[in-house]
Amino acid sequence: MLPSATSPEAAVIGGGPAGLIAAEVLARAGVAVTVYDRMPSVGRKLLMAGRGGLNLTHSEEFARFVARYAEARPQLEPLIEAFRPEDLRAWCEELGQETFVGSSGRVFPKAFKASPLLRAWLSRLEILEVRFALRQSWQGWDEEGRLVFTDAAGKSMRAKPDATILALGGASWPRLGSDGTWVELLAQRGIAVSALRPANMGFTCPWSEIMRSRFAGEPLKRIALTFQGATVKGEAIVTQDGIEGGAVYALSARLRDAIEQDGSALLHIDLRPDLSPESLLRKLDTPRKGQSASTFLRKAASLSPVGIALLREASPALPAEPEALARLIKAVPVTLTGAKSLERAISTAGGVPFSELDEHLMLRRIPGVFVAGEMLDWEAPTGGYLLQATFASGIAAARGVLASLQIPDAALTLEPSSATRQS
Ligand SMILES: Cc1cc2nc3c(=O)[nH]c(=O)nc-3n(C[C@H](O)[C@H](O)[C@H](O)COP(=O)(O)OP(=O)(O)OC[C@H]3O[C@@H](n4cnc5c(N)ncnc54)[C@H](O)[C@@H]3O)c2cc1C
């Protein structure tokens, strides 16, 4: 149903995936929607996510999937139940972007980028007569309760829609548009926003000069990281001043919290997680035949030069006894001294707490104003969990608007295809 002159009006502030999906749900139900964004174009962070292949969601079993949201699981599970990973895949495929499950169980569009999906999506929104007001930076409300926006020249514009969805994102990668300035605007209205903190970010550690100059940028492949009893297999990358990458991000919430509390965190890296300590020991317990330590480790334990350098960082004089060497390779200690800043983090922890919202994601203190996406107080590892919760919360907020305006919901997607529907 397309909007008419008498349709109720909604403002969606923020044209990321949360705002755009909310706009789609509202427009399909016949609401006249305007999407406001401070940037000259929408979906910039989505496009950036596309540079890494656009990990849309994950194919793992539902209970395991929702457990990734840790403390926010009780609030997010019903939203994700209402828009499940297979629904996201079906929606994407309806826009002409086939999806596939990678070897890790992660789901990607076959195009392995976001631009074709975003293009098709924006065309659909155009057909649904969604309006876009770009280069409009939201400044809060005036004394009459109207939304206030300013453009780059400082000219201001006001709007008084029937309902508003805030989908302003977190504060990572601020050059893409989301910078967390909304925190102050909500605080002025008495909303207790949890401090924004980096999530899925790298860490600093005091590498030696040789590690910095020779190994920055080198990947540590097929490793396992252990911290506080949690072990994650994957990859990491040595940086100039620390370490980053998928396996690090997976432990980043615990590491960040430990560093905040204790000033540092001791991470252990298993350079050969595929080998039991006994098998590794058998490989190391052979004559060195005059080989240098590096050559021996490369040949006997198949360690990469960066792996060997990591051993030397932990123990400059490498242990001569095979048992001690095997122990070190299975658990190289690395002391992390700081978390990388929010500006370079993949995502943001903190935000609007669920306690400030009703079950439709409406702010209890500001009736008619709903919140969605990364600006809500939840965090999750990489793996598609960020976009899944972003989409699901955008849809939930839009349905909340429809309920408040007493407008029936129009179905968002076709039934998921049998190829993507899982048990
Ligand atoms: C490098 C990188 C890679 C990523 N890869 C993945 C991935 O593969 N899989 C995954 O699940 N997630 C990934 N993410 C995370 C994912 O992109 C975000 O979680 C998602 O974009 C959040 O969507 P959102 O709509 O809540 O916010 P955003 O996408 O940040 O959109 C918010 C919008 O609000 C606008 N805005 C902000 N403040 C104002 C204001 N005051 N006035 C007007 N407009 C404003 C911004 O310009 C922006 O357009 C990645 C993130 C990064 C940085």
Side-chain angles (χ1 to χ4, degrees), residues 184-222:
E184 184 50 34
L185 302 177
L186 293 191
Q188 285 166 7
R189 299 290 300 264
I191 292 153
V193 180
S194 312
L196 303 188
R197 300 192 296 160
N200 294 302
M201 68 297 191
F203 290 86
T204 51
C205 47
W207 295 135
S208 65
E209 178 50 34
I210 188 150
M211 194 70 167
R212 274 201 298 274
S213 60
R214 289 197 41 204
F215 295 102
E218 289 289 318
L220 287 158
K221 295 191 172 172
R222 291 179 293 280

Side-chain angles (χ1 to χ4, degrees), residues 364-389:
R364 294 180 199 282
R365 293 173 206 269
I366 319 181
V369 177
F370 297 73
V371 184
E374 210 178 299
M375 67 184 290
L376 292 168
D377 185 7
W378 57 273
E379 65 177 311
T382 55
Y385 310 103
L386 300 167
L387 282 174
Q388 181 70 48

Side-chain angles (χ1 to χ4, degrees), residues 134-337:
L134 302 176
R135 296 190 174 89
Q136 294 293 338
S137 198
W138 179 55
Q139 307 293 341
W141 294 268
D142 67 10
E143 41 311 310
E144 286 161 40
R146 292 176 299 187
L147 298 167
V148 181
F149 300 89
T150 53
D151 66 13
K155 198 167 149 246
S156 76
M157 177 174 95
R158 278 148 222 265
K160 186 100 199 252
D162 299 301
T164 300
I165 295 182
L166 302 177
L168 299 152
S172 74
W173 288 67
R175 70 184 172 81
L176 301 176
S178 316
D179 63 359
T181 45
W182 53 265
V183 171
E184 184 50 34
L185 302 177
L186 293 191
Q188 285 166 7
R189 299 290 300 264
I191 292 153
V193 180
S194 312
L196 303 188
R197 300 192 296 160
N200 294 302
M201 68 297 191
F203 290 86
T204 51
C205 47
W207 295 135
S208 65
E209 178 50 34
I210 188 150
M211 194 70 167
R212 274 201 298 274
S213 60
R214 289 197 41 204
F215 295 102
E218 289 289 318
L220 287 158
K221 295 191 172 172
R222 291 179 293 280
I223 56 164
L225 303 183
T226 298
F227 181 65
Q228 289 179 340
T231 298
V232 175
K233 284 189 180 176
E235 278 191 28
I237 296 170
V238 169
T239 62
Q240 276 287 337
D241 60 351
I243 190 162
E244 62 183 32
V248 179
Y249 301 155
L251 290 175
S252 60
R254 288 166 188 257
L255 291 166
R256 177 200 61 211
D257 293 351
I259 293 171
E260 274 177 13
Q261 195 184 309
D262 306 326
S264 66
L266 185 62
L267 179 70
H268 285 97
I269 304 184
D270 183 347
L271 295 173
R272 290 302 311 269
D274 51 327
L275 288 181
S276 68
E278 298 72 30
S279 327
L280 179 61
L281 182 56
R282 271 198 298 282
K283 286 178 183 288
L284 295 173
D285 201 6
T286 52
R288 295 198 181 191
K289 296 187 203 146
Q291 297 175 104
S292 70
S294 295
T295 307
F296 175 71
L297 284 168
R298 192 161 46 78
K299 291 191 171 167
S302 305
L303 294 189
S304 62
V306 62
I308 297 167
L310 202 63
L311 293 178
R312 291 191 195 279
E313 290 288 302
S315 173
L318 291 176
E321 312 74 43
E323 290 82 1
L325 193 53
R327 271 201 302 279
L328 184 62
I329 292 171
K330 293 292 289 172
V332 191
V334 177
T335 301
L336 305 180
T337 49

